[in-house]
Amino acid sequence: MHDPGVRARLLAGAARRPLLLVTALYVLAAVVAALPAALRLGSEFISTGLPGHGEAASGDHLQTSYRFWLVGHQLEQGAEPWRDPFSFQPLVEPQVALGGWPFGLPYWPLEAAFGPVLAWNLLLLGATAAAGLLAYLWLSELPLPPAAAALGGLAFALAPYRLVQSGGHLLGWIAVLVPLALWAYERPRRAESRRSAHAWGALAAAAVVSIPLSGQLHLALGALPFVAAYAAVRYARVPALWVWGGVLVAAGAGLAAEALVIAGSSASEGRQLAEVAQYSADGADFTSRWRRHGLERFVYLGWLTPALALAGLVLLARRRPWLAAVLGVAALVPAVLALGTNLPLYETLRDVFPPLRYPRVPGRFLPLANLALAALAAVAAAALLTRVRPGRRALAAGLLVVLVAADLLVFPLRSSRADPGNAAYAALREAPPGRVLELPVFERGKGQFGSVHQYYTLQAPRERPTGYALAPEETFEFTARFNRLDCGAWLPGDRAALEGLGIRHLVWHGGLYEQSRTPGASFALAGLRAAGYRPAAEDGVVRLFAGGGAGSP
């Protein structure tokens, strides 16, 4: 055993064993947390479980998977992967579509191999496991013992708000970039060379910049100062310069995204307080394991985990007061802001800090609190395990892991109908050129149901004059004029106007009428026939109508 090479290999193998064990733990946790939806891995989306009424169920998961799909589709066409060439056409120039970075890159081959449903589900489970693993790697660098770091990683992976915001919204996925940035920041402390230290610093900066590039500007508002403050209290020259540089670039990227995406859209003036009030949590939401007021106000933090975090904060404050302060603020401030209009000073805060005018859901910062609570709980776990006799520490660590899992497992995800291979859209894919209009046409304030239209674009890529909720103002003239077609109210010149826009095909979505509670579905069908459109194909509650003639692509 005196051979240095043999000794190094043995040490490396010993270091890999905990990593393999915690990876297996987080993969198992991801699958269990996604039950019962994980049982339909290949046939339905793991999401929020809204009813589809015979077709694909609406939800942010459809919009997010559409943004992922655009990356590969655009690259295959030799076009910019951040452009959406299909939505709101030909009413405006192709829009910048944030949200494809960085998960659109692994989604590309997965979707090509397995289709959009399984690709989404595998990536969602992978992101959940990655959340735990990256938090574990970061906490191991602080350093905390493997068992305590594993508990912290599990707490972040299973954090109910982060998890439920992974079922549709991109927020839960992008939150994994924060522990990635912190881990990459800590790694240069034991880098073997200056080049290696710079490589880790560059990774930390890239993770920070990727948060606004993904379109998660709300999370970036909290993540950028958090990571910058962390670098200040854990100062090391090389990674600090990289991270602070990354924060500046990320701030610039956020301003650019605001100018390119938000300015000129329906959200350009910020959100009305009445709208924010609908998504503001109250005190009981933080302690209830049940969805009292819907998914956006589901901010349950657990009972045991916050108690451990409070103990960890007290312990950490004795040894590293500045780090304790940063983690304590990161745990407290997002939770307070999640109260939104239930916080007496929230309107004043929006006036003092104008970027707060844009988040419709004040809880969007909560993944930062989830991570800070997980880290502080790991500190408490480390202290508890040192008080246990060595022969019983493994048992005690296992018990703590089980208790934290029981505290946080609330199974917030459900299956959402996917409707792959719809026959009406298969016929549209093979139909003559022409843009498509889908009914219902959603007026301002109901554009979120346009996620269904975006999803079916994967089956039949066509330009359409409608899109998702964050619509350019120029498009509302079209929706205000033509949303009466939803109940069959055609006027002379309507068909000619649609054909003038290159619209040759119309698709009636009976299930979407039910999902959006839009009246007039049967009148819409009668109106299409009266306007001269002929049935071309149907699949259940989805029917394709054609007007004939050639048009734009």
Side-chain angles (χ1 to χ4, degrees):
M1 286 297 180
H2 295 292
D3 186 334
V6 173
R7 186 171 183 273
R9 286 194 295 273
L10 289 174
L11 290 174
R16 281 196 297 269
R17 278 194 292 273
L19 184 60
L20 292 174
L21 287 174
V22 296
T23 300
L25 170 67
Y26 299 141
V27 170
L28 176 63
V31 174
V32 171
L35 292 173
L39 298 177
R40 300 181 179 90
L41 199 63
S43 59
E44 297 187 1
F45 287 105
I46 299 176
S47 183
T48 54
L50 295 176
H53 296 282
E55 61 178 297
S58 63
D60 283 341
H61 64 288
L62 298 184
Q63 187 240 9
T64 302
S65 59
Y66 172 72
R67 295 288 176 85
F68 290 171
W69 170 81
L70 274 178
V71 173
H73 173 83
Q74 289 291 88
L75 289 174
E76 289 172 2
Q77 306 302 314
E80 302 100 322
W82 54 85
R83 291 283 181 186
D84 180 353
F86 301 110
S87 301
F88 309 118
Q89 297 306 302
L91 306 178
V92 296
E93 291 295 317
Q95 300 292 289
V96 173
L98 299 179
W101 176 261
F103 291 100
L105 294 177
Y107 181 87
W108 183 12
L110 285 174
E111 192 273 335
F114 305 116
V117 178
L118 188 54
W120 167 269
N121 291 338
L122 291 176
L123 273 180
L124 187 151
L125 296 177
T128 300
L133 184 60
L134 290 170
Y136 165 83
L137 292 170
W138 163 49
L139 294 172
S140 296
E141 295 291 335
L142 283 182
L144 287 173
L151 180 139
L154 184 68
F156 184 56
L158 296 181
Y161 187 82
R162 192 211 63 77
L163 192 60
V164 78
Q165 292 297 323
S166 299
H169 202 278
L170 192 55
L171 178 67
W173 302 52
I174 296 301
V176 308
L177 296 176
V178 181
L180 172 62
L182 300 180
W183 172 50
Y185 179 84
E186 293 290 347
R187 278 293 278 114
R189 295 179 187 276
R190 57 185 182 91
E192 297 178 354
S193 66
R194 189 172 182 82
R195 176 180 294 182
S196 177
H198 280 289
W200 283 107
L203 177 59
V208 171
V209 173
S210 292
I211 297 174
L213 287 182
S214 71
Q216 296 306 300
L217 304 184
H218 304 160
L219 180 64
L221 288 176
L224 298 190
F226 170 60
V227 174
Y230 182 90
V233 302
R234 293 282 294 168
Y235 180 75
R237 184 175 179 275
V238 170
L241 291 177
W242 273 106
V243 162
W244 290 336
V247 167
L248 291 175
V249 173
L255 292 173
E258 191 276 337
L260 293 171
V261 179
I262 297 177
S265 76
S266 54
S268 59
E269 298 300 320
R271 305 291 188 174
Q272 299 295 322
L273 272 176
E275 189 177 6
V276 176
Q278 298 178 28
Y279 300 100
S280 297
D282 60 34
D285 289 322
F286 288 98
T287 57
S288 174
R289 297 175 64 90
W290 317 109
R291 302 179 189 179
R292 300 174 64 242
H293 302 112
L295 297 176
E296 298 291 6
R297 293 170 61 177
F298 185 59
V299 294
Y300 174 67
L301 297 176
W303 289 82
L304 175 62
T305 306
L308 284 173
L310 182 59
L313 180 64
V314 173
L315 292 170
L316 189 61
R318 296 173 183 171
R319 296 181 285 117
R320 300 177 185 175
W322 286 109
L323 179 59
V326 169
L327 292 178
V329 168
L332 180 63
V333 171
V336 171
L337 289 177
L339 294 170
T341 55
N342 293 320
L343 183 67
L345 296 177
Y346 192 76
E347 186 173 2
T348 303
L349 285 173
R350 279 168 43 110
D351 294 335
V352 173
F353 188 58
L356 278 181
R357 292 179 301 161
Y358 293 100
R360 180 180 62 173
V361 182
R364 289 282 190 252
F365 306 103
L366 208 59
L368 299 174
N370 295 147
L371 182 61
L373 289 171
L376 292 170
V379 172
L384 283 173
L385 292 175
T386 59
R387 299 174 180 271
V388 177
R389 285 186 294 177
R392 296 185 177 180
R393 281 181 189 168
L395 179 62
L399 179 61
L400 274 176
V401 165
V402 170
L403 289 174
V404 167
D407 184 43
L408 297 177
L409 272 173
V410 293
F411 307 103
L413 300 174
R414 299 291 184 270
S415 295
S416 292
R417 194 172 189 273
D419 190 25
N422 184 280
Y425 276 91
L428 178 62
R429 188 182 188 99
E430 302 302 324
R435 295 188 174 98
V436 61
L437 176 64
E438 287 137 321
L439 302 181
V441 176
F442 295 108
E443 59 187 345
R444 186 193 293 260
K446 296 185 72 174
Q448 68 272 20
F449 292 104
S451 62
V452 174
H453 301 162
Q454 289 185 322
Y455 166 69
Y456 284 110
T457 304
L458 276 64
Q459 299 183 28
R462 296 263 178 161
E463 293 181 1
R464 68 199 68 237
T466 56
Y468 194 65
L470 198 62
E473 287 289 340
E474 303 97 301
T475 66
F476 290 118
E477 181 180 348
F478 177 90
T479 56
R481 176 181 176 182
F482 288 106
N483 97 312
R484 55 185 163 73
L485 305 185
D486 294 350
C487 57
W490 288 75
L491 297 178
D494 281 349
R495 177 166 174 171
L498 293 179
E499 290 179 348
L501 293 173
I503 297 170
R504 300 289 187 270
H505 313 279
L506 287 90
V507 181
W508 177 86
H509 286 262
L512 198 48
Y513 273 91
E514 294 290 336
Q515 294 180 47
S516 60
R517 299 181 180 178
T518 300
S522 60
F523 295 107
L525 278 175
L528 286 168
R529 295 187 180 99
Y533 291 93
R534 56 180 175 80
E538 69 174 85
D539 188 340
V541 295
V542 180
R543 302 185 187 182
L544 172 66
F545 289 81
S552 302

